[in-house]
Amino acid sequence: MLARHESGCAASSNCGVRERTTGNIRRMEIAGASAIVTGGASGIGAGVARALAAKGAHVVVADLQAEKGQALAEEIDGVFVSVDVTRTEQIEDAIARALELGPLRALVNSAGIGWAQRTIGRDGEYSSAHDLAVFSKVIAINLIGSFDAIRLAATAMSRSEPTSTGEKGAIVSMASVAAFDGQIGQAAYSASKGGIVGMTLPIARDLAAAGIRVNTVAPGLIDTPIYGEGDAAEAFKAKLGQSVLFPHRLGTPDELASMVLELLLNSYMNAEVVRVDGGIRMPPK
Ligand SMILES: NC(=O)c1ccc[n+]([C@@H]2O[C@H](COP(=O)([O-])OP(=O)(O)OC[C@H]3O[C@@H](n4cnc5c(N)ncnc54)[C@H](O)[C@@H]3O)[C@@H](O)[C@H]2O)c1
């Protein structure tokens, strides 16, 4: 008797060929489950929140910005929770709210801030060296905040029953191409994003036994409010776009969200860092 695929097709039949070309892809179920998006009120996080909701997930928008977060939550039939990712108890609030909506299957860490300052000043004074409190703040939000959300959300996921694909959840964090090609003035930002890249594999290893996958996206130049708003910001972004290898433009939040969704739902994606950047390699400045 011929061996059969899960679909019931004989392995050596045309049916088997059709199965390969149409895609025998295992995807984590997300419809009816809950998902948390930190930084979900704006930019990439908002794109991800919309994409998850379109797949039927109940999305918790966890952000500092109440007005934008509330408006988005209403639009996607989700929930806004006021969260500063440097406050553990507020992350716990978001998880508790998510668990009321369904099993927690997805966490996306998109909360983040940028900063630009050179390591030393021009006048040779210690006082004009990089502001150490700011360095700590960028690490606290971008790196420690992401890890805090991961350790707590993964704990909640680990208590759940696995999906039909044998998974309990999936996590995606936002790094940056600055993790690899940090520019002048990006010591703090690059350190925070490099930390996210560096912890991806060990966390994926830690969480494998619990059936939780962990991936990271490193965006290039994406058109979000992080560059400010208004005519000057638009002109700046148009100039930036020319430096992208191809296409010569900034990426859209939806293009990033598409990759995040693939990493969350494709059951074979684990422990990976994916650049989504139009091929750009950032120069020193
Ligand atoms: N836009 C880009 O070109 C780009 C490139 C590389 C990486 N990234 C990263 O992608 C992520 C999203 O960036 P974006 O461009 O969408 O920016 P954005 O400013 O549009 O969104 C970031 C969101 O994070 C929230 N946030 C900031 N600090 C927070 C805190 N302490 N607690 C909770 N929420 C907080 C903000 O309120 C905001 O809503 C960030 O981590 C950023 O570093 C962006």
Side-chain angles (χ1 to χ4, degrees), residues 152-208:
L152 297 170
T155 300
M157 288 171 182
S158 74
R159 297 183 198 134
S160 67
E161 289 300 315
T163 65
S164 64
T165 50
E167 297 167 89
K168 291 187 176 175
I171 297 169
V172 172
S173 299
M174 227 49 68
S176 165
V177 294
F180 311 104
D181 335 323
Q183 296 185 288
I184 286 173
Q186 284 195 312
Y189 187 69
S190 292
S192 71
K193 298 303 189 179
I196 290 176
V197 169
M199 71 185 180
T200 302
L201 176 60
I203 297 174
R205 287 175 164 167
D206 287 346
L207 301 186

Short mmCIF file of all heavy atoms in Angstrom, two decimals, residues 152-208:
data_model
loop_
_atom_site.label_atom_id
_atom_site.label_comp_id
_atom_site.label_asym_id
_atom_site.label_seq_id
_atom_site.Cartn_x
_atom_site.Cartn_y
_atom_site.Cartn_z
N LEU A 152 6.94 37.10 30.78
CA LEU A 152 5.62 37.00 31.41
C LEU A 152 4.59 36.40 30.45
O LEU A 152 3.82 35.52 30.82
CB LEU A 152 5.17 38.38 31.89
CG LEU A 152 6.07 38.98 32.98
CD1 LEU A 152 5.72 40.43 33.25
CD2 LEU A 152 5.98 38.15 34.26
N ALA A 153 4.59 36.86 29.20
CA ALA A 153 3.62 36.32 28.23
C ALA A 153 3.91 34.84 27.98
O ALA A 153 2.98 34.03 27.88
CB ALA A 153 3.69 37.11 26.92
N ALA A 154 5.18 34.48 27.90
CA ALA A 154 5.52 33.07 27.66
C ALA A 154 5.10 32.20 28.83
O ALA A 154 4.68 31.05 28.65
CB ALA A 154 7.02 32.93 27.39
N THR A 155 5.18 32.75 30.03
CA THR A 155 4.72 32.00 31.21
C THR A 155 3.22 31.72 31.08
O THR A 155 2.76 30.58 31.29
CB THR A 155 5.01 32.79 32.51
OG1 THR A 155 6.41 33.01 32.60
CG2 THR A 155 4.51 32.05 33.74
N ALA A 156 2.46 32.76 30.70
CA ALA A 156 1.01 32.57 30.52
C ALA A 156 0.73 31.58 29.39
O ALA A 156 -0.13 30.70 29.52
CB ALA A 156 0.34 33.91 30.24
N MET A 157 1.46 31.71 28.28
CA MET A 157 1.26 30.78 27.14
C MET A 157 1.56 29.34 27.58
O MET A 157 0.88 28.40 27.16
CB MET A 157 2.19 31.15 25.99
CG MET A 157 1.83 32.41 25.24
SD MET A 157 3.18 32.83 24.09
CE MET A 157 2.57 34.36 23.39
N SER A 158 2.59 29.17 28.39
CA SER A 158 3.04 27.81 28.75
C SER A 158 1.97 27.05 29.52
O SER A 158 1.98 25.82 29.54
CB SER A 158 4.34 27.88 29.57
OG SER A 158 4.06 28.33 30.89
N ARG A 159 1.05 27.78 30.14
CA ARG A 159 -0.01 27.11 30.92
C ARG A 159 -1.18 26.64 30.04
O ARG A 159 -2.08 25.98 30.51
CB ARG A 159 -0.60 28.09 31.95
CG ARG A 159 0.38 28.58 32.98
CD ARG A 159 -0.40 29.47 33.95
NE ARG A 159 0.48 30.31 34.72
CZ ARG A 159 0.29 31.62 34.92
NH1 ARG A 159 -0.76 32.23 34.40
NH2 ARG A 159 1.13 32.31 35.65
N SER A 160 -1.18 27.05 28.76
CA SER A 160 -2.35 26.77 27.90
C SER A 160 -2.25 25.38 27.27
O SER A 160 -1.19 24.75 27.28
CB SER A 160 -2.45 27.83 26.80
OG SER A 160 -1.36 27.71 25.91
N GLU A 161 -3.36 24.94 26.73
CA GLU A 161 -3.37 23.69 25.95
C GLU A 161 -2.80 23.99 24.57
O GLU A 161 -3.09 25.05 24.01
CB GLU A 161 -4.81 23.19 25.79
CG GLU A 161 -5.42 22.64 27.07
CD GLU A 161 -4.63 21.46 27.63
OE1 GLU A 161 -4.25 20.57 26.84
OE2 GLU A 161 -4.36 21.46 28.85
N PRO A 162 -2.00 23.09 24.00
CA PRO A 162 -1.45 23.38 22.67
C PRO A 162 -2.53 23.39 21.58
O PRO A 162 -3.58 22.79 21.74
CB PRO A 162 -0.45 22.25 22.44
CG PRO A 162 -0.75 21.21 23.46
CD PRO A 162 -1.51 21.84 24.58
N THR A 163 -2.23 24.09 20.48
CA THR A 163 -3.12 24.09 19.32
C THR A 163 -2.98 22.75 18.59
O THR A 163 -2.14 21.92 18.96
CB THR A 163 -2.71 25.21 18.33
OG1 THR A 163 -1.41 24.88 17.82
CG2 THR A 163 -2.68 26.56 18.99
N SER A 164 -3.72 22.58 17.51
CA SER A 164 -3.65 21.33 16.74
C SER A 164 -2.26 21.15 16.11
O SER A 164 -1.89 20.05 15.74
CB SER A 164 -4.72 21.31 15.65
OG SER A 164 -4.46 22.35 14.74
N THR A 165 -1.50 22.24 15.99
CA THR A 165 -0.13 22.14 15.46
C THR A 165 0.88 21.89 16.59
O THR A 165 2.09 21.94 16.37
CB THR A 165 0.26 23.42 14.69
OG1 THR A 165 -0.05 24.56 15.51
CG2 THR A 165 -0.47 23.52 13.37
N GLY A 166 0.38 21.66 17.79
CA GLY A 166 1.26 21.33 18.90
C GLY A 166 1.95 22.54 19.52
O GLY A 166 2.92 22.40 20.26
N GLU A 167 1.44 23.74 19.19
CA GLU A 167 2.09 24.96 19.69
C GLU A 167 1.27 25.62 20.79
O GLU A 167 0.05 25.55 20.80
CB GLU A 167 2.23 25.96 18.55
CG GLU A 167 3.11 25.47 17.43
CD GLU A 167 2.97 26.34 16.19
OE1 GLU A 167 3.72 27.29 16.10
OE2 GLU A 167 2.10 26.05 15.36
N LYS A 168 1.99 26.31 21.67
CA LYS A 168 1.27 27.09 22.69
C LYS A 168 1.31 28.58 22.39
O LYS A 168 0.53 29.34 22.95
CB LYS A 168 1.86 26.79 24.06
CG LYS A 168 1.56 25.36 24.51
CD LYS A 168 1.99 25.10 25.92
CE LYS A 168 1.58 23.70 26.35
NZ LYS A 168 2.08 23.36 27.70
N GLY A 169 2.22 28.98 21.54
CA GLY A 169 2.27 30.41 21.20
C GLY A 169 3.48 30.76 20.37
O GLY A 169 4.34 29.92 20.11
N ALA A 170 3.52 32.02 19.96
CA ALA A 170 4.65 32.52 19.17
C ALA A 170 4.89 33.99 19.51
O ALA A 170 3.95 34.73 19.82
CB ALA A 170 4.37 32.35 17.68
N ILE A 171 6.17 34.37 19.44
CA ILE A 171 6.58 35.72 19.84
C ILE A 171 7.44 36.34 18.76
O ILE A 171 8.31 35.65 18.20
CB ILE A 171 7.38 35.64 21.17
CG1 ILE A 171 6.48 35.11 22.29
CG2 ILE A 171 7.98 37.00 21.54
CD1 ILE A 171 7.21 34.75 23.58
N VAL A 172 7.17 37.59 18.44
CA VAL A 172 8.04 38.32 17.51
C VAL A 172 8.42 39.67 18.14
O VAL A 172 7.55 40.38 18.65
CB VAL A 172 7.35 38.58 16.15
CG1 VAL A 172 8.19 39.51 15.27
CG2 VAL A 172 7.11 37.26 15.41
N SER A 173 9.69 39.98 18.12
CA SER A 173 10.15 41.27 18.64
C SER A 173 10.72 42.10 17.50
O SER A 173 11.26 41.57 16.53
CB SER A 173 11.23 41.08 19.70
OG SER A 173 10.70 40.34 20.78
N MET A 174 10.62 43.42 17.66
CA MET A 174 11.14 44.34 16.65
C MET A 174 12.54 44.76 17.04
O MET A 174 12.74 45.43 18.05
CB MET A 174 10.22 45.57 16.59
CG MET A 174 9.81 45.99 15.21
SD MET A 174 9.18 44.64 14.20
CE MET A 174 7.66 44.29 15.07
N ALA A 175 13.51 44.33 16.25
CA ALA A 175 14.87 44.87 16.42
C ALA A 175 15.00 46.02 15.44
O ALA A 175 14.10 46.86 15.32
CB ALA A 175 15.92 43.79 16.19
N SER A 176 16.07 46.07 14.68
CA SER A 176 16.30 47.12 13.68
C SER A 176 17.54 46.73 12.91
O SER A 176 18.40 46.01 13.44
CB SER A 176 16.53 48.47 14.37
OG SER A 176 17.08 49.40 13.46
N VAL A 177 17.67 47.25 11.69
CA VAL A 177 18.94 47.03 10.99
C VAL A 177 20.09 47.71 11.75
O VAL A 177 21.25 47.38 11.55
CB VAL A 177 18.90 47.52 9.52
CG1 VAL A 177 17.93 46.69 8.70
CG2 VAL A 177 18.56 49.01 9.43
N ALA A 178 19.73 48.64 12.66
CA ALA A 178 20.75 49.29 13.49
C ALA A 178 21.43 48.28 14.43
O ALA A 178 22.46 48.59 15.02
CB ALA A 178 20.14 50.43 14.29
N ALA A 179 20.85 47.10 14.59
CA ALA A 179 21.51 46.06 15.38
C ALA A 179 22.78 45.61 14.67
O ALA A 179 23.71 45.11 15.32
CB ALA A 179 20.57 44.87 15.57
N PHE A 180 22.80 45.75 13.34
CA PHE A 180 23.94 45.27 12.53
C PHE A 180 24.75 46.42 11.95
O PHE A 180 25.97 46.36 11.89
CB PHE A 180 23.44 44.39 11.38
CG PHE A 180 22.48 43.33 11.82
CD1 PHE A 180 21.12 43.48 11.59
CD2 PHE A 180 22.93 42.21 12.51
CE1 PHE A 180 20.22 42.52 12.01
CE2 PHE A 180 22.03 41.25 12.94
CZ PHE A 180 20.67 41.40 12.70
N ASP A 181 24.06 47.47 11.45
CA ASP A 181 24.73 48.59 10.79
C ASP A 181 24.43 49.89 11.55
O ASP A 181 23.88 50.82 10.97
CB ASP A 181 24.26 48.82 9.34
CG ASP A 181 23.68 47.60 8.62
OD1 ASP A 181 24.17 46.50 8.83
OD2 ASP A 181 22.75 47.80 7.82
N GLY A 182 24.76 49.91 12.83
CA GLY A 182 24.48 51.11 13.62
C GLY A 182 25.25 52.31 13.09
O GLY A 182 26.43 52.20 12.75
N GLN A 183 24.56 53.44 13.02
CA GLN A 183 25.19 54.66 12.47
C GLN A 183 25.80 55.51 13.58
O GLN A 183 25.60 55.25 14.77
CB GLN A 183 24.13 55.45 11.71
CG GLN A 183 23.58 54.69 10.51
CD GLN A 183 22.63 55.54 9.71
OE1 GLN A 183 21.51 55.81 10.14
NE2 GLN A 183 23.07 55.98 8.56
N ILE A 184 26.50 56.54 13.17
CA ILE A 184 27.05 57.50 14.13
C ILE A 184 25.92 57.99 15.03
O ILE A 184 24.85 58.35 14.53
CB ILE A 184 27.74 58.66 13.37
CG1 ILE A 184 29.07 58.15 12.80
CG2 ILE A 184 27.93 59.87 14.28
CD1 ILE A 184 29.77 59.14 11.89
N GLY A 185 26.15 57.96 16.32
CA GLY A 185 25.14 58.43 17.28
C GLY A 185 24.16 57.37 17.72
O GLY A 185 23.28 57.64 18.53
N GLN A 186 24.30 56.14 17.21
CA GLN A 186 23.30 55.12 17.53
C GLN A 186 23.76 54.10 18.57
O GLN A 186 23.22 52.99 18.63
CB GLN A 186 22.86 54.39 16.25
CG GLN A 186 21.90 55.21 15.39
CD GLN A 186 21.20 54.36 14.35
OE1 GLN A 186 21.84 53.59 13.64
NE2 GLN A 186 19.90 54.51 14.24
N ALA A 187 24.75 54.45 19.40
CA ALA A 187 25.27 53.47 20.36
C ALA A 187 24.15 52.88 21.23
O ALA A 187 24.04 51.65 21.37
CB ALA A 187 26.34 54.10 21.23
N ALA A 188 23.32 53.73 21.81
CA ALA A 188 22.27 53.24 22.71
C ALA A 188 21.23 52.42 21.95
O ALA A 188 20.88 51.30 22.35
CB ALA A 188 21.61 54.42 23.42
N TYR A 189 20.75 52.99 20.85
CA TYR A 189 19.71 52.31 20.07
C TYR A 189 20.22 50.96 19.53
O TYR A 189 19.55 49.93 19.65
CB TYR A 189 19.27 53.23 18.93
CG TYR A 189 18.08 52.73 18.15
CD1 TYR A 189 16.81 52.68 18.71
CD2 TYR A 189 18.23 52.33 16.82
CE1 TYR A 189 15.72 52.22 17.97
CE2 TYR A 189 17.15 51.88 16.08
CZ TYR A 189 15.90 51.84 16.66
OH TYR A 189 14.82 51.39 15.93
N SER A 190 21.43 50.98 18.97
CA SER A 190 21.99 49.74 18.41
C SER A 190 22.23 48.70 19.49
O SER A 190 22.03 47.50 19.27
CB SER A 190 23.30 50.02 17.67
OG SER A 190 23.04 50.79 16.52
N ALA A 191 22.69 49.16 20.67
CA ALA A 191 22.91 48.21 21.77
C ALA A 191 21.59 47.56 22.16
O ALA A 191 21.52 46.34 22.38
CB ALA A 191 23.52 48.93 22.97
N SER A 192 20.52 48.37 22.21
CA SER A 192 19.21 47.81 22.60
C SER A 192 18.71 46.81 21.56
O SER A 192 18.18 45.75 21.90
CB SER A 192 18.19 48.93 22.82
OG SER A 192 17.81 49.54 21.60
N LYS A 193 18.89 47.13 20.30
CA LYS A 193 18.38 46.25 19.24
C LYS A 193 19.29 45.04 19.04
O LYS A 193 18.84 43.95 18.72
CB LYS A 193 18.22 47.04 17.93
CG LYS A 193 17.22 48.19 18.03
CD LYS A 193 15.84 47.71 18.47
CE LYS A 193 14.77 48.79 18.35
NZ LYS A 193 13.44 48.31 18.75
N GLY A 194 20.60 45.26 19.23
CA GLY A 194 21.53 44.13 19.19
C GLY A 194 21.23 43.14 20.31
O GLY A 194 21.38 41.92 20.13
N GLY A 195 20.79 43.66 21.44
CA GLY A 195 20.40 42.79 22.55
C GLY A 195 19.20 41.92 22.18
O GLY A 195 19.15 40.73 22.51
N ILE A 196 18.26 42.51 21.46
CA ILE A 196 17.09 41.74 21.03
C ILE A 196 17.52 40.63 20.07
O ILE A 196 17.09 39.48 20.18
CB ILE A 196 16.03 42.67 20.38
CG1 ILE A 196 15.41 43.56 21.46
CG2 ILE A 196 14.95 41.85 19.67
CD1 ILE A 196 14.42 44.58 20.94
N VAL A 197 18.42 40.98 19.13
CA VAL A 197 18.92 39.96 18.20
C VAL A 197 19.64 38.84 18.98
O VAL A 197 19.40 37.66 18.77
CB VAL A 197 19.88 40.60 17.16
CG1 VAL A 197 20.63 39.54 16.36
CG2 VAL A 197 19.10 41.52 16.22
N GLY A 198 20.50 39.27 19.91
CA GLY A 198 21.31 38.29 20.64
C GLY A 198 20.49 37.36 21.52
O GLY A 198 20.87 36.20 21.72
N MET A 199 19.37 37.83 22.04
CA MET A 199 18.60 36.96 22.94
C MET A 199 17.58 36.09 22.19
O MET A 199 16.95 35.23 22.80
CB MET A 199 17.91 37.78 24.05
CG MET A 199 16.75 38.64 23.66
SD MET A 199 16.20 39.61 25.11
CE MET A 199 14.83 40.53 24.40
N THR A 200 17.44 36.29 20.90
CA THR A 200 16.43 35.53 20.15
C THR A 200 16.68 34.02 20.23
O THR A 200 15.76 33.25 20.59
CB THR A 200 16.40 35.98 18.67
OG1 THR A 200 16.12 37.38 18.63
CG2 THR A 200 15.32 35.24 17.89
N LEU A 201 17.89 33.59 19.93
CA LEU A 201 18.18 32.15 19.95
C LEU A 201 18.09 31.55 21.36
O LEU A 201 17.40 30.54 21.55
CB LEU A 201 19.54 31.86 19.30
CG LEU A 201 19.99 30.40 19.35
CD1 LEU A 201 19.01 29.48 18.62
CD2 LEU A 201 21.39 30.25 18.74
N PRO A 202 18.74 32.14 22.36
CA PRO A 202 18.63 31.51 23.68
C PRO A 202 17.20 31.46 24.20
O PRO A 202 16.79 30.49 24.86
CB PRO A 202 19.54 32.34 24.58
CG PRO A 202 19.87 33.58 23.83
CD PRO A 202 19.73 33.25 22.38
N ILE A 203 16.40 32.50 23.93
CA ILE A 203 15.01 32.44 24.41
C ILE A 203 14.24 31.37 23.64
O ILE A 203 13.45 30.62 24.22
CB ILE A 203 14.31 33.82 24.28
CG1 ILE A 203 15.00 34.85 25.17
CG2 ILE A 203 12.84 33.69 24.67
CD1 ILE A 203 14.47 36.27 25.00
N ALA A 204 14.48 31.29 22.33
CA ALA A 204 13.80 30.22 21.55
C ALA A 204 14.17 28.86 22.13
O ALA A 204 13.33 27.96 22.21
CB ALA A 204 14.20 30.32 20.08
N ARG A 205 15.43 28.70 22.52
CA ARG A 205 15.85 27.42 23.13
C ARG A 205 15.16 27.21 24.47
O ARG A 205 14.70 26.10 24.78
CB ARG A 205 17.38 27.40 23.28
CG ARG A 205 18.07 27.23 21.93
CD ARG A 205 19.57 27.33 22.03
NE ARG A 205 20.18 26.80 20.81
CZ ARG A 205 21.45 26.96 20.48
NH1 ARG A 205 22.28 27.63 21.27
NH2 ARG A 205 21.92 26.44 19.36
N ASP A 206 15.08 28.26 25.27
CA ASP A 206 14.41 28.15 26.58
C ASP A 206 12.95 27.75 26.42
O ASP A 206 12.40 27.02 27.24
CB ASP A 206 14.44 29.49 27.32
CG ASP A 206 15.81 29.87 27.87
OD1 ASP A 206 16.70 29.00 27.92
OD2 ASP A 206 15.98 31.04 28.23
N LEU A 207 12.30 28.30 25.39
CA LEU A 207 10.84 28.14 25.27
C LEU A 207 10.42 26.95 24.40
O LEU A 207 9.24 26.65 24.29
CB LEU A 207 10.21 29.43 24.72
CG LEU A 207 10.44 30.69 25.57
CD1 LEU A 207 9.66 31.87 25.00
CD2 LEU A 207 10.05 30.46 27.03
N ALA A 208 11.40 26.28 23.80
CA ALA A 208 11.07 25.16 22.91
C ALA A 208 10.29 24.08 23.66
O ALA A 208 9.30 23.55 23.15
CB ALA A 208 12.34 24.58 22.30
#
